Amino acid sequence: GHGHEHDAHCEDEHCGHEHGHGHEHDMDCKDEHCEHEHEHGHGNGHDHEPKHKHAKHHHHDDSVTSVGILADGSLDQMKLNKWLSNLLQEKGNDIYRSKGVLSLSHSTDKYVFQGVHHQMTFASSTELGKPGWAENEKRVNKMVFIGKHLNRQELEDSFKACIV
């Protein structure tokens, strides 16, 4: 970097301003971190990042979990539609995000769905311009739900009941 010109200022209050959000570095000002910060900018990012990362988690509701479901086979479209609409009615407020790739028995398309709470988009691989299931490809349904108060067993059992 062009960091050398700042070395002279190291002892004074400019040091903190050089990093923009660098208030937490002021106390390092007299040691050799100062010039490294200017040289590599984010090179030392790992020194202070973990603090921020941990802080974020405390704001979340502790009961937020993600449930992944993996099931071989193909689904009955009628049962699947009914399952999804019931799920969204009952749990829509608790499900922050949902997504998955599904195999429906009547089609060689892969069906991709993504949802946020009660809103859900559903598209076939043809509509998305993507390849469907190959003839010898094993059909697997994958889904992930992120939300609170999710009961993995209940979700998995009710989902697997939709398989043909």
Side-chain angles (χ1 to χ4, degrees):
H2 50 279
H4 307 298
E5 67 228 69
H6 304 305
D7 292 356
H9 301 309
C10 224
E11 318 272 322
D12 72 18
E13 82 282 356
H14 286 317
C15 183
H17 300 303
E18 294 298 330
H19 323 298
H21 53 276
H23 306 300
E24 64 230 83
H25 307 302
D26 290 353
M27 62 189 83
D28 298 331
C29 226
K30 299 203 172 35
D31 71 19
E32 81 283 355
H33 285 320
C34 186
E35 63 189 83
H36 295 313
E37 289 298 326
H38 306 304
E39 302 264 13
H40 325 293
H42 306 295
N44 278 359
H46 50 269
D47 287 351
H48 44 269
E49 272 194 353
K51 278 185 267 183
H52 303 310
K53 285 207 177 98
H54 296 311
K56 276 189 193 140
H57 291 303
H58 300 304
H59 301 305
H60 288 310
D61 182 328
D62 288 336
S63 56
V64 172
T65 52
S66 70
V67 173
I69 299 175
L70 203 59
D72 293 350
S74 291
L75 299 157
D76 179 292
Q77 190 177 10
M78 297 282 285
K79 285 182 181 168
L80 175 69
N81 288 346
K82 197 170 170 193
W83 180 74
L84 280 173
S85 61
N86 284 347
L87 185 67
L88 292 183
Q89 263 174 350
E90 290 168 26
K91 299 257 190 219
N93 290 332
D94 288 341
I95 296 175
Y96 300 150
R97 303 270 295 128
S98 55
K99 58 184 179 179
V101 178
L102 306 174
S103 163
L104 299 187
S105 58
H106 70 282
S107 170
T108 56
D109 274 350
K110 291 180 177 179
Y111 286 83
V112 178
F113 82 87
Q114 293 185 53
V116 178
H117 291 296
H118 297 274
Q119 245 77 51
M120 184 172 282
T121 57
F122 211 84
S124 66
S125 48
T126 301
E127 289 169 309
L128 297 169
K130 301 254 171 78
W133 299 100
E135 261 181 69
N136 52 1
E137 189 178 356
K138 183 176 161 191
R139 293 196 179 203
V140 180
N141 301 281
K142 292 183 215 169
M143 303 178 100
V144 179
F145 294 99
I146 297 170
K148 51 185 185 178
H149 316 304
L150 300 177
N151 181 327
R152 174 187 293 273
Q153 199 57 53
E154 199 179 281
L155 283 168
E156 206 167 301
D157 293 347
S158 57
F159 176 67
K160 287 183 172 170
C162 302
I163 290 173
V164 179

